[in-house]
């Protein structure tokens, strides 16, 4: 049995989930997913599959011209007959609906994502003359307002790491877990804060991906591209301490190569990292909602403030488009411009 990396295992799991969803949909849907398998990641394709299934379930509930008892009954003729008003009704439905006894809500960002999936789906069939129109192209998408970027400043970052290392302000129950996991937590969170890597890139690290001598790690970016990222000297001691501790742990089968392990001796999960960031930040930075992605923003902000090089920040963070980076750190540019207003002296005082 070949040994797969975390990212390969994730791809395999996602592909199996996509196939399971497609089995609940008409056969022609598989043609669409075959068409995008080279251009979209398995995670993106899985999101599309779930969103398309939701749309097909809505058709079964709301389409009245031809009865559809299940999503499998939705023909290409039905898809072709759906107009823009039906899509707008669907967007309205997505705001609040019930499924399996649960109330499901979607904000503007979620609705926009679902409509984007539907747009790509319809475009494929329209482009190949399998439907006569693309109703999604005629609707107005939800307009999203730019959110304020939440990040920690230097003092808050120091408080955060002090809490991780020393358990400051943690409850008695939290301190019990802290004593057991503080070496791992300090190594993991210092690494994230000194590199800006994504949470998936962090939990996907294997032991052999760490090069202490060259202060570097090998990560797998979104889309499967490998990259070398360099960590700061502040990460060296926490990493060495944890890796010494890691040698003494006997991991569960299938998790032998994982760098960061959970209490169950399995590769640490995204949920676990989210929970430990929440735990430490609530004690250290109670007025800000800090998530693993906010650690990334914190690093990107600090790097940009120190270098003023937006292209370097984009490259280190793994942004394919520098405009994505510029959008996140535009407020820093504005502050720098404000501070520079008196730098040029027009007349002698």
């Amino acid at each position: 049995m070949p040994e797969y990396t975390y990212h390969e295992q994730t791809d395999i799991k996602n592909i199996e989930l996509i196939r399971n969803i497609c089995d609940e949909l008409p056969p022609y849907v598989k043609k669409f997913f075959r068409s995008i398998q080279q251009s979209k990641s398995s995670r993106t394709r899985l999101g599309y599959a779930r969103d398309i299934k939701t749309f097909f379930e809505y058709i079964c509930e709301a389409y009245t011209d031809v009865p559809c008892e299940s999503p499998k009954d939705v023909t290409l003729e039905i898809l072709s007959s759906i107009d823009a008003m039906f899509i707008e009704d669907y967007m309205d439905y997505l705001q609040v609906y019930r499924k399996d006894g649960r109330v499901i809500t979607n904000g503007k960002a979620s609705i926009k994502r679902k409509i984007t999936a539907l747009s790509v789906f319809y475009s494929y069939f329209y482009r190949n003359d399998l439907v006569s129109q693309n109703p999604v192209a005629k609707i107005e998408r939800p307009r999203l307002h730019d959110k304020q970027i939440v990040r920690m400043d230097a003092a808050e970052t120091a408080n955060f790491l002090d809490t991780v290392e020393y358990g400051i302000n943690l409850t008695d129950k939290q301190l019990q877990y802290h004593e057991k996991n503080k070496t791992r937590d300090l190594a993991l969170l210092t690494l994230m804060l000194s590199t800006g890597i994504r949470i998936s890139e962090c939990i996907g690290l294997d032991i052999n991906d760490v090069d202490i001598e060259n202060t570097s790690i090998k990560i797998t970016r979104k889309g499967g591209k490998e990259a070398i990222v360099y960590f700061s000297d502040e990460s060296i001691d926490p990493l060495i301490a944890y890796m010494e501790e890691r040698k003494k742990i006997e991991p569960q089968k299938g998790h032998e190569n994982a760098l960061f392990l959970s209490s169950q001796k399995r590769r640490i999960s995204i949920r676990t990292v989210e929970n430990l960031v929440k735990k430490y930040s609530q004690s250290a930075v109670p007025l800000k909602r800090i998530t693993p992605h906010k650690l990334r923003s914190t690093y990107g902000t600090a790097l940009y403030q120190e270098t003023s090089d937006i292209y370097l920040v984009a490259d280190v963070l793994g942004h394919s488009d520098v405009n994505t980076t510029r959008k996140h750190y535009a407020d820093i540019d504005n502050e720098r411009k404000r501070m520079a207003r008196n730098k040029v002296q027009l007349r002698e005082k």
Side-chain angles (χ1 to χ4, degrees), residues 119-133:
S119 176
V120 177
F121 181 71
Y122 257 105
S123 293
Y124 167 77
F125 291 103
Y126 182 65
R127 190 171 61 249
N128 287 281
D129 299 319
L130 296 171
V131 296
S132 60
Q133 62 172 336

Side-chain angles (χ1 to χ4, degrees), residues 62 111 143 225 266 294:
I111 293 174
R143 184 170 297 178
K225 182 181 178 182
R266 302 167 64 88
K294 302 301 187 295

Side-chain angles (χ1 to χ4, degrees), residues 243-294:
M243 292 181 79
E244 286 300 314
E245 187 177 279
R246 172 68 178 81
K247 290 176 183 176
K248 303 171 186 175
I249 302 173
E250 186 68 35
Q252 289 195 29
K253 187 177 180 180
H255 300 266
E256 294 86 354
N257 295 328
L259 175 61
F260 294 113
L261 296 175
S262 69
S263 299
Q264 290 74 40
K265 301 180 182 179
R266 302 167 64 88
R267 185 183 295 274
I268 200 168
S269 68
I270 288 177
R271 177 63 60 85
T272 299
V273 176
E274 288 173 341
N275 287 339
L276 66 90
V277 169
K278 180 180 179 181
K279 174 181 70 176
Y280 292 125
S281 64
Q282 283 180 338
S283 295
V285 197
L287 298 183
K288 292 182 179 178
R289 183 176 177 272
I290 303 300
T291 65
H293 193 74
K294 302 301 187 295

Side-chain angles (χ1 to χ4, degrees), residues 167-284:
I168 299 170
N169 293 327
L170 295 182
T171 66
D172 290 342
K173 185 176 181 181
Q174 288 173 333
L175 283 171
Q176 293 176 10
Y177 290 100
H178 173 261
E179 190 60 33
K180 182 180 179 181
N181 297 315
K182 65 179 180 181
T183 305
R184 178 203 67 188
D185 294 353
L186 184 62
L188 188 153
L189 295 171
T190 304
L191 184 65
M192 291 187 74
L193 277 166
S194 73
T195 58
I197 57 176
R198 298 175 176 90
I199 185 171
S200 61
E201 295 164 351
C202 182
I203 67 173
L205 285 170
D206 287 337
I207 296 171
N208 294 334
D209 292 332
V210 181
D211 185 343
I212 295 291
E213 185 176 342
N214 291 305
T215 62
S216 65
I217 52 175
K218 182 176 71 175
I219 62 170
T220 302
R221 295 285 196 197
K222 288 168 68 175
K225 182 181 178 182
E226 288 188 347
I228 300 296
V229 174
Y230 297 91
F231 52 82
S232 70
D233 290 347
E234 288 181 274
S235 291
I236 296 175
D237 288 344
L239 270 173
I240 289 175
Y242 172 68
M243 292 181 79
E244 286 300 314
E245 187 177 279
R246 172 68 178 81
K247 290 176 183 176
K248 303 171 186 175
I249 302 173
E250 186 68 35
Q252 289 195 29
K253 187 177 180 180
H255 300 266
E256 294 86 354
N257 295 328
L259 175 61
F260 294 113
L261 296 175
S262 69
S263 299
Q264 290 74 40
K265 301 180 182 179
R266 302 167 64 88
R267 185 183 295 274
I268 200 168
S269 68
I270 288 177
R271 177 63 60 85
T272 299
V273 176
E274 288 173 341
N275 287 339
L276 66 90
V277 169
K278 180 180 179 181
K279 174 181 70 176
Y280 292 125
S281 64
Q282 283 180 338
S283 295

